[in-house]
């Protein structure tokens, strides 16, 4: 069977208009899919150059297929069953900045490029003082903001216009955070006030909210799908039909990215916080809870969690008893949104692996659950048991007590390795503000309840604890 290649292309290979940091499933099923929809309608006429953000990535696999891949849409949208597949043609090429710095710098020289997208996970937007411009040129590992600063500085030196910079990492005010890190590198590397002024005046940084469940490569069905489609595709991505893209900033971005004209669910707003609070709390929060607890109970997918009577009630109660009461939005709106989220969780076509939700779990817990955890405690003077059990389950896994591989940033992994097996492990982990952004032991009763659940995980497992919590209310 023939591998997917350029002979399958139907659209012209348009000039580069986008740099994209990240080649993972989400961006390919979200950003690149949207660009393909605009290109099909002749609205954008631009291609993407993908930059591999880490030394290890999958641009080799993309290049082996001439940067083509299939997006498989399956799910229920507006009450209608959707099952379709489409070859995405929006990627023009890939760049590995660690092995070909000159090719990376050449992106700054392309006058056609207007937009930069990224998704390097919540942990990707960080300022690392040890990063240097010289080390980046040598291909040494560096943060995403450091690599971007190097690219922007070269663009500045050429006297060219700036970019529309649109991060998709799921942290609050991601555009502001990225800009702040770039300015820190500008100061650290002594790049000069003129460059700082160019960053501030010639580039637009946007904060965003992205929402689409992307389970990724459909491993269990890939062979059958390839037989049905008539070609091999090692990069196929499965996703749900639902999508919303919220961008905070000037509506001028609608002219640069005519997504609305392509019937894409784009929202450009002056304040994205209501959208972010709703999504991060009610979709990402339960995802972050069910991942460690469900995996420790032998469940593998979000669908299995929702089909399990014990875990369904547990997650439903978390939504309606621990999260919705403390999110500062109208209750009716939140209840309606939660109903839609549960339908998406129950999507029979999507096998969303709990293991996929476990990437960078510590920063996800801090971003997705901790704010509502503290709101709940402030409002009721009690600890939210379901979120606390999730925290205990993460500490159990990160102490090497399960067979699951820890897939987190180097700093987090190293931090936990230092305290694994320590008799004060739970206290050391909870009090480490590098993990959570604060010392969690200062929340009254939290350490005791986490310790209780941690010990009970050893004694009877997460299912028994879930059943007990369900029976309490």
């Amino acid at each position: 069977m023939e591998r997917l290649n350029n002979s399958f292309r139907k659209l012209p290979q348009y000039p580069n208009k986008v740099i994209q940091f990240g080649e993972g499933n989400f961006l390919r099923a979200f950003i690149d899919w949207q660009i393909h929809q605009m290109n099909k309608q002749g609205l954008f006429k631009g291609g993407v150059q993908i930059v591999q953000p880490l030394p290890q990535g999958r641009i080799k696999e993309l290049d082996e297929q001439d940067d083509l891949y299939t997006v498989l849409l399956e799910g229920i949208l507006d009450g209608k069953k959707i099952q379709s597949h489409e070859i995405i043609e929006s990627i023009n090429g890939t760049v590995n900045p660690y092995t070909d710095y000159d090719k990376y710098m050449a992106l700054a020289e392309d006058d056609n490029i207007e937009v930069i997208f990224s998704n390097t996970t919540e942990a990707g937007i960080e300022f690392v003082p040890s990063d240097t411009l010289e080390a980046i040129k040598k291909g040494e590992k560096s943060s995403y903001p450091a690599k971007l600063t190097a690219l922007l500085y070269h663009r500045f030196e050429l006297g060219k216009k700036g970019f529309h910079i649109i991060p998709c990492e799921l942290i609050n005010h991601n555009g502001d955070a990225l800009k702040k890190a770039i300015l820190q590198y500008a100061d650290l590397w002594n790049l000069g006030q003129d460059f700082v002024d160019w960053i501030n005046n010639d580039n637009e940084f946007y904060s965003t909210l992205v929402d689409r469940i992307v389970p990724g490569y459909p491993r269990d069905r890939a062979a059958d799908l390839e037989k049905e489609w008539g070609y091999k595709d090692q990069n196929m991505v499965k996703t749900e039909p639902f999508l919303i893209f919220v961008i905070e900033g000037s509506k001028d971005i609608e002219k640069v990215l005519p997504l609305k004209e392509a019937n894409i669910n784009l929202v450009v707003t002056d304040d994205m916080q209501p959208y972010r609070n709703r999504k991060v709390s009610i979709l990402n929060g339960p995802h972050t809870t069910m991942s460690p607890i469900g995996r420790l109970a032998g469940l593998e997918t979000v669908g299995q969690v929702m089909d399990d009577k014990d875990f369904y009630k547990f997650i439903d109660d978390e939504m309606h008893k621990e999260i919705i009461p403390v999110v500062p939005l109208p209750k009716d709106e939140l209840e309606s949104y939660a109903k839609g989220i549960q339908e998406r969780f129950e999507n029979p076509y999507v096998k969303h692996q709990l293991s996929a939700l476990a990437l960078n779990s510590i920063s996800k817990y801090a971003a997705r659950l901790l704010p509502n955890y503290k709101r709940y405690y402030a409002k009721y003077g009690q600890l939210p048991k379901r979120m606390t059990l999730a925290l205990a389950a993460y500490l159990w896994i990160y102490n090497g007590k399960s067979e699951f591989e820890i897939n987190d940033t180097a700093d987090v992994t190293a931090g936990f390795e230092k305290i694994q097996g320590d008799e004060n492990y739970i206290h050391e982990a909870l009090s480490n503000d590098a993990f959570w952004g604060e010392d969690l032991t200062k929340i009254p009763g939290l350490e005791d309840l986490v310790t209780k659940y941690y010990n009970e995980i050893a004694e009877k497992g997460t299912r028994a604890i879930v059943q007990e919590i369900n029976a309490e209310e």
Side-chain angles (χ1 to χ4, degrees):
M1 189 183 300
E2 187 178 14
R3 184 172 295 281
L4 189 57
N5 59 60
N6 268 331
S7 67
F8 289 82
R9 286 189 182 271
K10 297 179 180 178
L11 299 176
Q13 197 152 0
Y14 293 115
N16 298 322
K17 282 192 177 182
V18 172
I19 298 171
Q20 176 176 299
F21 287 83
E23 77 283 23
N25 290 323
F26 181 80
L27 282 181
R28 289 189 291 116
F30 189 78
I31 292 297
D32 301 324
W33 181 88
Q34 292 180 66
I35 291 172
H36 181 74
Q37 305 313 309
M38 290 190 292
N39 283 342
K40 281 197 305 180
Q41 299 174 51
L43 297 170
F44 187 63
K45 296 183 178 180
V48 178
Q49 284 287 333
I50 287 184
V51 178
Q52 183 172 293
L54 297 172
Q56 301 300 318
R58 62 175 302 110
I59 64 171
K60 177 177 177 290
E61 287 82 354
L62 285 170
D63 290 342
E64 287 173 351
Q65 296 183 180
D66 295 326
D67 303 313
L68 298 174
Y69 62 96
T70 311
V71 165
L72 175 66
L73 291 183
E74 291 189 322
I76 309 295
L77 186 64
D78 297 329
K80 298 178 181 178
K81 181 188 297 185
I82 294 176
Q83 285 184 290
S84 65
H85 72 280
E86 183 176 25
I87 296 172
I88 304 303
E89 305 177 31
S90 49
I91 300 172
N92 283 350
T94 63
V95 179
N96 186 339
Y98 300 97
T99 60
D100 196 339
Y101 185 76
D102 289 342
K103 185 178 179 181
Y104 176 53
M105 285 295 103
L107 297 176
E109 301 164 10
D110 190 336
D111 290 323
N112 292 312
I113 295 179
E114 300 180 86
V115 183
I116 296 176
F117 289 109
S118 65
N119 187 12
T120 54
T121 78
E122 284 91 333
I125 297 181
E126 62 174 345
F127 171 68
V128 181
S130 58
D131 286 341
T132 67
L133 196 54
E134 292 72 23
I136 294 172
K137 292 178 180 178
K138 293 177 182 177
E140 296 178 12
K141 186 177 179 181
S142 56
S143 72
Y144 159 53
K147 286 192 289 293
L148 180 56
T149 303
L151 184 79
L152 293 173
Y153 186 63
H154 186 49
R155 181 86 163 188
F156 161 75
E157 287 184 308
L158 296 171
K160 295 183 181 294
K161 64 181 181 180
F163 298 105
H164 298 274
I165 300 173
I166 309 176
C168 298
E169 289 83 356
L170 195 63
I171 61 172
N172 205 8
H173 303 295
N174 47 17
D176 296 334
L178 180 56
K179 183 177 181 179
K180 178 182 178 182
I182 289 168
L183 292 175
Q184 286 176 295
Y185 283 116
D187 179 60
L188 179 69
W189 299 343
N190 297 313
L191 299 182
Q193 187 60 44
D194 288 345
F195 174 63
V196 170
D197 292 342
W198 181 82
I199 289 293
N200 286 322
N201 300 325
D202 288 68
N203 296 269
E204 291 287 340
F205 289 80
Y206 301 84
S207 290
T208 66
L209 173 72
V210 296
D211 189 356
R212 184 175 232 183
I213 295 173
V214 181
Y217 183 75
R219 191 171 305 279
D220 59 330
R221 297 170 54 205
D224 291 337
L225 290 170
E226 289 176 336
K227 185 177 179 180
E228 175 188 340
W229 299 340
Y231 56 83
K232 295 187 71 64
D233 183 358
Q234 62 186 337
N235 301 310
M236 67 177 78
V237 182
K238 182 175 179 176
T239 185
E240 65 172 342
F242 176 87
L243 174 156
I244 185 171
F245 192 11
V246 182
I247 298 178
E248 184 177 271
S250 169
K251 287 191 177 293
D252 289 344
I253 193 64
E254 295 179 5
K255 299 174 184 176
V256 179
L257 297 170
L259 291 165
K260 285 187 175 180
E261 291 183 59
N263 295 315
I264 303 289
N265 191 13
L266 171 72
V267 176
V268 180
T269 177
D270 293 333
D271 182 10
M272 56 164 278
Q273 288 310 301
Y275 297 95
R276 184 185 189 279
N277 291 341
R278 187 181 68 175
K279 187 258 183 178
V280 172
S281 296
I282 299 178
L283 187 151
N284 299 114
H287 267 171
T288 304
T289 294
M290 69 175 70
S291 176
I293 299 171
R295 293 175 79 200
L296 289 174
L299 302 178
E300 296 181 354
T301 69
V302 174
Q304 288 177 355
V305 169
M306 301 308 287
D307 286 339
D308 186 296
K309 65 177 183 179
D310 292 330
F311 282 84
Y312 177 89
K313 176 173 171 51
F314 185 86
I315 294 300
D316 185 70
D317 283 348
E318 180 187 43
M319 282 184 171
H320 293 93
K321 295 180 179 180
E322 292 186 352
I323 295 176
I324 288 177
V326 298
V327 175
L329 289 169
K331 183 178 179 180
D332 290 347
E333 176 186 328
L334 294 172
E335 293 283 359
S336 175
Y337 184 74
K339 181 179 179 181
I341 292 299
Q342 287 178 314
E343 290 175 350
R344 294 168 65 191
F345 284 172
E346 295 167 7
N347 184 347
Y349 303 105
V350 171
K351 291 187 177 180
H352 200 174
Q353 297 292 324
L354 296 177
S355 59
L357 300 173
L359 176 66
N360 296 337
S361 295
I362 301 305
S363 61
K364 284 179 178 176
Y365 191 97
R368 300 175 176 187
L369 286 177
L370 191 55
N372 286 323
Y373 194 108
K374 294 189 293 183
R375 290 190 191 107
Y376 186 94
Y377 180 78
K379 182 173 182 177
Y380 297 109
Q382 299 176 347
L383 300 173
K385 296 177 181 178
R386 296 161 189 83
M387 290 188 244
T388 308
L389 176 57
L391 181 55
Y394 279 123
L395 295 192
W396 177 265
I397 292 170
Y398 276 63
N399 200 16
K401 296 293 187 178
S402 74
E403 73 277 16
F404 306 134
E405 179 183 357
I406 297 173
N407 194 359
D408 216 310
T409 65
D411 289 345
V412 169
T413 301
F416 273 96
E417 285 177 350
K418 288 180 181 178
I419 61 175
Q420 279 181 352
D422 192 300
E423 63 179 9
N424 295 315
Y425 166 76
I426 293 176
H427 178 80
E428 293 294 331
L430 293 175
S431 61
N432 190 331
D433 59 8
F435 294 157
W436 321 104
E438 60 185 279
D439 180 353
L440 296 187
T441 63
K442 293 182 178 180
I443 300 176
L446 181 146
E447 184 174 352
D448 289 342
L449 188 56
V450 168
T451 301
K452 173 180 181 293
Y453 286 148
Y454 183 95
N455 292 332
E456 288 179 351
I457 290 172
E459 296 166 4
K460 52 193 174 186
T462 55
R463 181 176 292 276
I465 306 171
V466 163
Q467 290 171 336
E468 290 174 3
I469 293 175
N470 286 347
E472 290 174 3
E473 301 177 23

